[in-house]
Amino acid sequence: MNAWKFIKQHRNNIVCYGSLTLVFVLFAILTKGKIYSAYNLKSLVGQMVVLMMFAHGTVDIAYGAVAGLCTMVITLVLNATGNVPVSVLASIATAVALYLFMWFVTAYLGLMSIIASLAVMFIARGMVTYILSL
């Protein structure tokens, strides 16, 4: 009986994720796995960014600026160290720090998330502009 209650309670999520899984499997069968080539996956991830902007229930306009800053960080660290894992970790740490700041401003200071997103966008763009102008 608990399984039936769980299914009734989460039927929307089950239908969404089940349908998504069915589409992935169907396309894998129809294309004999070619749909999951590196080029296609890169293209799919690039197109999903727009959908991910609305994933947390509000518009996040800082994605582009944060991506630009993370790209700059990964490039500078890679040029300085020559170490790919270190540069990737530095880029991820940069993104996490900015989004933790945005979460803090939204959760603890009570500002609207769009305002916090706008602040993070300006911070990231300002850092890129300043560092690249040196």
Side-chain angles (χ1 to χ4, degrees):
M1 190 67 175
N2 287 337
W4 183 250
K5 183 178 177 183
F6 177 83
I7 291 171
K8 282 180 75 174
Q9 191 174 21
H10 299 287
R11 68 180 171 265
N12 290 339
N13 288 335
I14 292 170
V15 168
C16 289
Y17 292 119
S19 299
L20 182 64
T21 303
L22 180 66
V23 167
F24 276 121
V25 170
L26 181 68
F27 278 108
I29 291 169
L30 292 175
T31 63
K32 296 181 176 124
K34 293 178 185 176
I35 189 81
Y36 300 117
S37 70
Y39 175 78
N40 284 343
L41 289 176
K42 180 181 168 190
S43 178
L44 287 171
V45 169
Q47 293 172 9
M48 287 180 1
V49 169
V50 175
L51 297 175
M52 292 169 55
M53 286 177 59
F54 299 100
H56 57 82
T58 185
V59 177
D60 184 1
I61 58 176
Y63 277 111
V66 171
L69 179 62
C70 290
T71 302
M72 184 194 69
V73 166
I74 202 168
T75 303
L76 292 175
V77 172
L78 186 60
N79 286 340
T81 65
N83 192 337
V84 173
V86 170
S87 60
V88 169
L89 288 175
S91 177
I92 291 171
T94 302
V96 168
L98 285 170
Y99 280 107
L100 282 176
F101 172 75
M102 189 166 71
W103 172 77
F104 175 78
V105 167
T106 302
Y108 287 106
L109 300 181
L111 273 109
M112 293 174 30
S113 61
I114 190 75
I115 302 299
S117 179
L118 189 64
V120 167
M121 181 185 78
F122 283 128
I123 290 168
R125 287 179 63 192
M127 290 174 73
V128 170
T129 302
Y130 178 75
I131 292 170
L132 292 180
S133 69
L134 294 177

